[in-house]
């Protein structure tokens, strides 16, 4: 039982860290190709998002 608990703890911790990812890119205006700042970015059907700088 002790080994099972330890194994579960290790797997659970690795899954928590696996959820973080970084997405990078540039947001540009389609009309004049200027970079845009302070744009709201959201993920469809998720409660997650950010603002660009």
């Amino acid at each position: 039982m002790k080994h099972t608990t330890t194994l579960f703890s290790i797997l659970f911790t690795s899954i928590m860290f696996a959820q973080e990812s970084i997405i990078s890119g540039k947001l540009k205006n389609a009309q004049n190709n200027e970079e845009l700042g302070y744009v709201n970015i959201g993920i469809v059907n998720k409660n997650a998002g950010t603002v660009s700088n």
Side-chain angles (χ1 to χ4, degrees), residues 5-7 9 12-15 17 22-23 27-28 30 42 51:
T5 304
T6 304
L7 180 62
S9 297
F12 184 72
T13 304
S14 66
I15 290 171
F17 289 114
I22 297 173
I23 300 172
L27 300 169
K28 294 187 176 186
V51 177

Side-chain angles (χ1 to χ4, degrees), residues 12-49:
F12 184 72
T13 304
S14 66
I15 290 171
M16 286 178 31
F17 289 114
Q19 298 299 317
E20 186 176 324
S21 61
I22 297 173
I23 300 172
S24 63
K26 293 183 180 184
L27 300 169
K28 294 187 176 186
N29 186 334
Q31 295 174 347
N32 58 12
N33 212 26
E34 271 186 26
E35 289 189 13
L36 300 172
Y38 307 105
V39 176
N40 291 323
I41 302 168
I43 300 173
V44 178
N45 297 325
K46 299 285 183 184
N47 191 18

